[in-house]
Amino acid sequence: MNKKPFVTLEQLEEITKTYPTPFYLYDEKGIRENARALKEAFAWNPGYKEYFAVKATPNPFLINILREYGCGCDCSSMTELMLSHELGVTGKDIMFSSNDTPAEEFAYAAKIGAIINLDDYTHIEFLEKTLGYIPETISCRYNPGGIFQISNDIMDNPGDAKYGMTTEQLFDAYRVLQAKGAKHLGLHAFLASNTVTNEYYPMLARVLFELAVRLKKETGADIRFINLSGGIGIPYRPDQEANDIRVIGEGVRKVYEEVLVPAGMGDVAIYTELGRFMMGPYGCLVTKAMHEKHTYKEYIGVDACAVNLMRPAMYGAYHHITVMGKENAPCDHKYDVTGSLCENNDKFAIDRELPKIDIGDLLVIHDTGAHGYAMGYNYNGKLKSAELLLKEDGGVQLIRRAETPKDYFATFDCFDIIKGLV
Ligand SMILES: *Cc1c(COP(=O)(O)O)cnc(C)c1O
């Protein structure tokens, strides 16, 4: 299959007159269509809610689009909680699914009324000490251990993952939490990441639904919601077939009716915390070819680097690249597409077959809408790029400006160096 960018060369040439490369570009139309499809796929469950995983794409403009489709926020840290709260997302529309959590983050989450999802058994005591009470509504994260049988590059081995409680701990946690005043319980698990199959959610649902039935029976808990978390993937590679969210929603419904309804649990709400699925395909990194180097290999040096997009360097992740204007040209050149960091893993592609690239060509790096900009850092003193929104009407809106040297030096309050900088 041919992967097509959501933006044309003509549009990019217009955009680059105002905004220099590199930049992130997001597709409002795609984000909206996908959010609507997700909502429809789970409409059979009256309590359904997607808590967008803020860490994937922490941009207020994009989060506000998702809110129009009823999405809340799933936060993993203080600043994500603050961002969500600042946007007017309040109370139970915020899920706090964090791990190794600092006391002040628990305290702030409780203060703004977020649902706290406990990663560990010992966090019960830690939370009680921090708050002086246990919230009435609270959730626990489960880790069944072993291997989750869906092949996957990043995480398919819960037994090796640092997250969640064992089965035994979970049952104890439910008992202890109720003894300490919890009235409404939730259950959460995230067992595989970036699953490009319609099977993952239904399989996970079966594990969690059967567990919930046992938990209710054995601990008497009032289970209000089951949180299937993130993990629905996207086809990064052109030969992969996209998940069909309708099939996934339907698959979960079948298991719900098979397991929960007969157990008298037909009022349990289904929650999700999708990140990648909500934004991944609807963002791209636009960069320009700056240098061409011939040594033992052929290199194209672009003006973006791993600071802008870390996934290839960190996980060896594949991101498809389109050389704009050469969509139909033969891929008869083999390149390493590199950034400028003093780090040999700073490569967006290795031995990639692409059309002949000329200096000045615009390259679209696909599927960077989630865990892209957000994972960026400032190594080599490189600055983070702007984020732009390609609106439904074809217009472009700056939704985050590019960093300037002043931002980079802002933490050196005591240094005069800042004075001369704009
Ligand atoms: C990262 C994360 C998500 C989102 O994961 P995706 O793979 O982007 O869907 C959801 N929940 C938790 C707790 C996470 O850590």
Side-chain angles (χ1 to χ4, degrees):
M1 232 183 46
N2 203 3
K3 254 175 136 30
K4 267 184 69 161
F6 57 78
V7 63
T8 64
L9 175 61
E10 292 66 37
Q11 283 174 307
L12 282 182
E13 281 173 342
E14 200 51 43
I15 296 169
T16 50
K17 284 181 192 160
T18 310
Y19 303 105
T21 54
F23 54 78
Y24 269 80
L25 186 67
Y26 298 91
D27 173 23
E28 179 178 12
K29 184 161 173 284
I31 293 170
R32 285 185 183 279
E33 283 171 5
N34 185 63
R36 196 176 301 125
L38 173 72
K39 194 175 169 190
E40 284 168 13
F42 284 92
W44 56 266
N45 181 254
Y48 174 74
K49 190 179 255 312
E50 152 71 1
Y51 291 84
F52 174 62
V54 171
K55 75 164 195 268
T57 323
N59 187 297
F61 292 85
L62 302 178
I63 293 171
N64 272 338
I65 294 175
L66 294 180
R67 287 178 69 203
E68 290 181 36
Y69 301 88
C71 297
C73 290
D74 164 41
C75 300
S76 64
S77 68
M78 184 68 115
T79 48
E80 289 180 6
L81 288 167
M82 290 165 75
L83 173 67
S84 306
H85 187 60
E86 196 60 34
L87 287 176
V89 183
T90 52
K92 303 219 167 355
D93 281 356
I94 301 180
M95 182 71 62
F96 186 44
S97 285
S98 95
N99 69 94
D100 189 21
T101 313
E104 58 272 22
E105 298 192 4
F106 273 142
Y108 183 69
K111 192 178 116 192
I112 64 175
I115 301 176
I116 293 175
N117 182 31
L118 294 176
D119 180 68
D120 186 37
Y121 182 75
T122 64
H123 291 187
I124 299 172
E125 202 184 316
F126 188 84
L127 182 69
E128 191 183 31
K129 244 189 214 153
T130 303
L131 304 181
Y133 63 93
I134 288 293
E136 284 198 356
T137 300
I138 193 154
S139 173
C140 293
R141 183 167 184 166
Y142 176 53
N143 182 335
I147 294 207
F148 199 78
Q149 302 106 302
I150 289 182
S151 59
N152 177 305
D153 291 341
I154 298 171
M155 192 209 292
D156 63 356
N157 195 345
D160 261 355
K162 66 172 175 169
Y163 310 106
M165 308 181 193
T166 67
T167 311
E168 206 183 352
Q169 287 172 340
L170 184 70
F171 278 80
D172 282 348
Y174 262 50
R175 289 195 186 93
V176 171
L177 284 168
Q178 290 181 94
K180 291 181 183 293
K183 294 199 163 59
H184 314 302
L185 279 292
L187 182 60
H188 170 283
F190 188 164
L191 303 187
S193 179
N194 191 31
T195 57
V196 192
T197 158
N198 295 328
E199 300 300 311
Y200 170 64
Y201 253 21
M203 275 176 71
L204 171 68
R206 185 173 296 279
V207 171
L208 290 182
F209 294 175
E210 287 174 353
L211 184 64
V213 171
R214 278 180 54 208
L215 277 165
K216 183 183 164 158
K217 215 190 246 163
E218 292 177 31
T219 74
D222 171 30
I223 298 178
R224 286 293 172 95
F225 60 87
I226 295 176
N227 186 342
L228 302 176
S229 187
I232 297 186
I234 59 168
Y236 285 102
R237 292 177 180 273
D239 59 353
Q240 286 177 308
E241 199 181 327
N243 288 322
D244 184 336
I245 197 64
R246 278 159 293 258
V247 174
I248 292 174
E250 195 49 27
V252 175
R253 187 183 65 79
K254 279 205 185 95
V255 185
Y256 189 96
E257 284 174 3
E258 196 184 310
V259 180
L260 288 182
V261 173
M265 297 175 74
D267 58 351
V268 171
I270 300 301
Y271 293 166
T272 56
E273 294 173 340
L274 298 167
R276 194 185 316 270
F277 182 77
M278 302 308 287
M279 288 289 177
Y282 316 112
C284 64
L285 173 59
V286 181
T287 183
K288 192 181 271 181
M290 276 199 307
H291 297 286
E292 191 177 353
K293 175 168 177 165
H294 319 270
T295 51
Y296 307 103
K297 295 183 91 170
E298 298 296 308
Y299 295 99
I300 294 294
V302 296
D303 59 6
C305 63
V307 157
N308 306 105
L309 175 66
M310 198 182 191
R311 297 185 73 257
M314 181 139 141
Y315 311 122
Y318 180 93
H319 281 272
H320 199 65
I321 295 177
T322 298
V323 184
M324 296 305 286
K326 298 183 178 173
E327 289 82 349
N328 300 316
C331 292
D332 53 5
H333 283 62
K334 198 186 262 187
Y335 295 116
D336 280 15
V337 178
T338 77
S340 58
L341 296 188
C342 306
E343 230 344 308
N344 198 42
N345 67 1
D346 183 17
K347 295 178 178 176
F348 293 115
I350 296 172
D351 295 331
R352 183 78 58 91
E353 283 170 0
L354 290 166
K356 179 177 186 325
I357 296 176
D358 295 295
I359 305 302
D361 277 352
L362 290 170
L363 273 58
V364 160
I365 304 181
H366 291 246
D367 301 316
T368 60
H371 312 296
Y373 179 95
M375 242 188 228
Y377 57 119
N378 282 118
Y379 194 43
N380 281 205
K382 294 281 177 178
L383 304 175
K384 297 178 85 178
S385 77
E387 292 186 295
L388 308 174
L389 181 63
L390 180 61
K391 313 255 284 187
E392 278 188 302
D393 65 9
V396 168
Q397 184 184 0
L398 180 68
I399 55 172
R400 190 197 300 259
R401 67 164 171 81
E403 281 183 346
T404 66
K406 194 170 169 180
D407 296 309
Y408 183 73
F409 292 118
T411 42
F412 297 122
D413 296 329
C414 49
F415 283 11
D416 289 345
I417 190 170
I418 198 91
K419 286 186 188 152
L421 296 170
V422 239

